[in-house]
Amino acid sequence: MTAHLTPGSGRKDTGYPRSRFDVADSMAGLGVRQGESDPARMLSGALILVFVAIIMAVMLAWWLMI
């Protein structure tokens, strides 16, 4: 059985660690990189789920009152 190692978070495809203080890399990496989470997207998804749950609860309460 062979162990498969995952690359570190500070590595590119070349296998060499990238500098956290590289100006060109920091300007290019302003967006979300592959493998990183997007907090704004996660928050919007959670808010949509909460909104749908509230709507369903109101509809259920209305249905039970009839």
Side-chain angles (χ1 to χ4, degrees):
M1 187 161 92
T2 306
H4 296 283
L5 300 176
T6 58
S9 63
R11 296 184 183 268
K12 290 184 179 179
D13 294 332
T14 59
Y16 295 103
R18 61 183 158 102
S19 172
R20 293 181 183 226
F21 303 106
D22 188 11
V23 175
D25 189 37
S26 66
M27 294 301 288
L30 290 177
V32 176
R33 295 189 191 114
Q34 183 179 3
E36 293 182 356
S37 61
D38 185 3
R41 187 174 181 186
M42 291 169 53
L43 178 62
S44 64
L47 289 176
I48 289 172
L49 286 175
V50 168
F51 182 70
V52 168
I54 290 172
I55 296 295
M56 289 177 63
V58 168
M59 290 176 61
L60 178 63
W62 178 69
W63 180 69
L64 289 174
M65 287 181 174
I66 293 179

